[in-house]
Amino acid sequence: QSVLTQPPSVSAAPGQKVTISCSGSSSNIGNNYVSWYQQLPGTAPKLLIYENNKRPSGIPDRFSGSKSGTSATLGITGLQTGDEADYYCGTWDSSLSAGGVFGGGTKLTVL
Amino acid sequence: QVQLVQSGAEVKKPGASVKVSCKASGYTFTSYGISWVRQAPGQGLEWMGWISAYNGNTNYAQKLQGRVTMTTDTSTSTAYMELRSLRSDDTAVYYCARENYYGSGEWGYWGQGTLVTVSS
């Protein structure tokens, strides 16, 4: 059972747009930055978005992030077959048992 | 460029211990902390804990307290994660990841992963 809640799967056609939601609480998303990761099959996660909506160098602007209250959203436009992957949100939880927390992951299928 | 290179796959029996290494290069090792994250087969990411490469301070996930120890060797820019009293549900790929700063919830660079299999 993950601390952050994501939909298990989303799908869309090539060229379309998709959004992935990530829901948490005041102790994590509500008071900390959110980051997003892409994990291609058999590889390590890769940082896509940090500090809610910033992209590391080399990440195309097709990827975007936003946060409102205790929820965050990853958006991907102009879907490509190479975007098929698992996507995870992550943040810090500032509760008594402080530490990093992740969502359960969302499998993106590009139909 | 920043690189984190981990040690190779391990097979352990229940009750044994495993120690995974993570050698960093391409940046000043003591300027960042290292988190360890694991992923059981077909499952999501689980944060295990964090260590400061500057002073060795640690913060472990509550469920692993008492079984996990994270250390660093600044002379070789290497971080280590030791997990004891292994159980079958510890079978996972273990990743080290550089955390931007403690509590940032942002892991910008990841090792390639080390598969640890616990089986009798």
Side-chain angles (χ1 to χ4, degrees), chain B residues 19-88:
Chain B
K19 191 170 186 177
V20 179
S21 68
C22 169
K23 183 170 177 59
S25 61
Y27 71 96
T28 301
F29 182 64
T30 51
S31 295
Y32 296 87
I34 294 286
S35 283
W36 289 87
V37 176
R38 68 180 179 178
Q39 185 172 36
Q43 302 300 308
L45 303 173
E46 178 187 13
W47 182 85
M48 300 177 65
W50 168 92
I51 181 166
S52 165
Y54 174 70
N55 58 16
N57 285 351
T58 55
N59 178 23
Y60 302 138
Q62 203 162 21
K63 69 176 286 189
L64 295 173
Q65 289 271 4
R67 287 208 300 138
V68 67
T69 301
M70 297 175 188
T71 57
T72 60
D73 181 344
T74 56
S75 69
T76 60
S77 299
T78 303
Y80 298 90
M81 186 284 301
E82 180 180 33
L83 189 60
R84 300 176 292 279
S85 302
L86 288 168
R87 310 186 290 245
S88 58

Side-chain angles (χ1 to χ4, degrees), chain A residues 35 37 39 44-45 88 92 97-98 100, chain B residues 39 47 59 62 95 103 105 107 111:
Chain A
S35 53
Y37 303 85
Q39 187 176 36
Y88 293 90
W92 190 259
S97 54
Chain B
Q39 185 172 36
W47 182 85
N59 178 23
Q62 203 162 21
Y95 295 102
W107 299 274

Side-chain angles (χ1 to χ4, degrees), chain A residues 16 55 59-64 75-80 82-83:
Chain A
Q16 296 300 301
R55 283 176 286 107
I59 300 300
D61 59 6
R62 300 188 299 107
F63 295 90
S64 64
I76 310 173
T77 59
L79 278 171
Q80 302 172 2
D83 296 332

